[in-house]
Amino acid sequence: MKFRKIVTLSTFVSALALSILPSQAAGLKFLEVPANNRGPVLTAAVWYPCVGKPIRVEIGFDYSTAVRDCPLTGEKLPLIMISHGVGGWFGNYHALAEMLADAGFVVAAINHPRDSGQSKTRDPNDIASMTQRPVDMTRLVDFMLDRWSGAPQVDPARIGVFGFSRGGFTGLAMIGGNPDWKLLLDNCPTYPGNRFCEQIRSSAIAPLAGDPRIKTAVLVDPAGGSLFTAEGLGKVTVPVQLWASEYGGDGLSPKDAATVAHNLPAKPDYRIVPNSGHFSFLPPCSQEFAKLVANSGEPELCTDTAGFDRVAFHKQFNADILAFFRKNLIEAEQ
């Protein structure tokens, strides 16, 4: 009985102490990367560790649960860069960003100017919408390390990238991958407005520039994955977690991720998600967003095959990505 009283008192005191301590939360700032000779202004959002009470913060098509503009806490923090798919925007993976920020990561995401759903100058049918993406991300890394207010607290030796669809292509390019564009001519897309194959035939496309600061990557259903030969991936040396849908969709096939998995020099952490389509990797849609895409004629963005639970999947998906980044950017340095 005496022992039980002591435990009860100890538990009460601990709970009281926790209740009066400030709580860890995801901070959120909106920023712009200035235009330069490599590209136009980039609109971005940054999630990061801070102390405060998170609330609903509107981020465009959705909202993030975060603390707006609170001070960054911590030192030598790892940095994760997020690259969205065509028609996406910097808030697509806000739940993942919030989880990473709560765990001590700084997370930065941009709207790619040529194919973001929020861009006024988008032209996803020009091959520059693909080749410019790694440049966009490198400019974001430069900004985060040199000009962002929290730059002194970011560790430049611990940077990772997450990318979905065209963002997966972007991530491959950032870690040193280069596609063989001529392979696209064997099965050239013919949808209205597409100029990729015309541009490939008419001009040489310069190799994509990697970014040696990227130390690990999570790539999700990478667009154009079948264009990456063993030679094109021969310079990749960083750990990769590679996710693939079972059925593909939106121009992607299971062959894209399978080709990348086969041709990477080192075996990736390769995961094929049963019963999933390409858009199953998009986070669960809010009611407002589901209504928006239904009215635009693209309800497949928010629907899955029978029996696939997108809400349950993304909880595990985010947790597995956090574990991978923690293993390769935090535990690997200890």
Side-chain angles (χ1 to χ4, degrees), residues 25-46:
L28 173 60
K29 289 181 182 288
F30 299 107
L31 53 85
E32 289 188 343
V33 178
N36 61 21
N37 59 2
R38 293 184 293 167
V41 171
L42 302 173
T43 56
V46 181

Side-chain angles (χ1 to χ4, degrees), residues 293-317:
V293 298
N295 291 338
S296 69
E298 296 181 304
E300 66 274 10
L301 293 173
C302 295
T303 57
D304 300 286
T305 54
F308 187 88
D309 186 337
R310 196 183 292 199
V311 172
F313 166 68
H314 274 266
K315 288 181 180 179
Q316 189 62 52
F317 178 62

Side-chain angles (χ1 to χ4, degrees), residues 17-154:
L18 289 172
S19 71
I20 61 177
L21 286 173
S23 58
Q24 183 76 15
L28 173 60
K29 289 181 182 288
F30 299 107
L31 53 85
E32 289 188 343
V33 178
N36 61 21
N37 59 2
R38 293 184 293 167
V41 171
L42 302 173
T43 56
V46 181
W47 289 263
Y48 53 90
C50 80
V51 174
K53 183 177 180 180
I55 61 172
R56 175 176 176 138
V57 181
E58 299 296 330
I59 55 172
F61 299 120
D62 204 348
Y63 69 90
S64 180
T65 303
V67 187
R68 180 83 182 264
D69 297 328
C70 61
L72 171 66
T73 61
E75 300 293 335
K76 295 186 176 180
L77 302 172
L79 172 64
I80 304 298
M81 319 300 293
I82 292 182
S83 179
H84 63 72
V86 63
W89 95 108
F90 62 56
N92 269 140
Y93 289 93
H94 67 83
L96 173 62
E98 292 157 16
M99 176 181 283
L100 290 167
D102 287 344
F105 292 81
V106 174
V107 185
I110 56 169
N111 292 332
H112 288 286
R114 291 180 179 268
D115 64 8
S116 163
Q118 292 189 335
S119 174
K120 296 180 180 179
T121 59
R122 64 191 302 249
D123 187 6
N125 297 313
D126 189 315
I127 203 166
S129 63
M130 299 286 279
T131 58
Q132 185 65 26
R133 279 171 153 265
V135 179
D136 296 340
M137 295 297 284
T138 288
R139 290 176 57 207
L140 179 60
V141 175
D142 292 344
F143 182 88
M144 294 299 297
L145 296 181
D146 298 333
R147 302 184 62 178
W148 183 50
S149 60
Q153 292 162 265
V154 175

Side-chain angles (χ1 to χ4, degrees), residues 45 50 78 91 186 196 207 212 225-227 265:
C50 80
D186 296 336
F196 279 28
S226 59
L227 305 179

Side-chain angles (χ1 to χ4, degrees), residues 188-319:
C188 197
T190 58
Y191 56 85
N194 177 54
R195 305 189 297 283
F196 279 28
C197 293
E198 173 188 334
Q199 292 169 321
I200 293 169
R201 292 189 186 100
S202 64
S203 62
I205 299 173
L208 302 180
D211 192 325
R213 296 172 295 186
I214 305 301
K215 303 304 182 185
T216 190
V218 174
L219 311 173
V220 183
D221 249 8
S226 59
L227 305 179
F228 288 86
T229 64
E231 181 180 0
L233 292 175
K235 295 181 180 180
V236 176
T237 60
V238 304
V240 173
Q241 185 178 73
L242 178 63
W243 294 79
S245 59
E246 182 177 3
Y247 305 125
D250 196 39
L252 281 89
S253 79
K255 179 184 176 182
D256 287 296
T259 300
V260 173
H262 181 266
N263 288 334
L264 280 169
K267 185 178 179 180
D269 177 3
Y270 183 34
R271 306 181 182 210
I272 302 172
V273 180
N275 203 29
S276 65
H278 182 59
F279 293 125
S280 299
F281 287 119
L282 286 177
C285 298
S286 64
Q287 289 184 347
E288 296 84 355
F289 187 70
K291 184 177 180 179
L292 177 67
V293 298
N295 291 338
S296 69
E298 296 181 304
E300 66 274 10
L301 293 173
C302 295
T303 57
D304 300 286
T305 54
F308 187 88
D309 186 337
R310 196 183 292 199
V311 172
F313 166 68
H314 274 266
K315 288 181 180 179
Q316 189 62 52
F317 178 62
N318 290 348

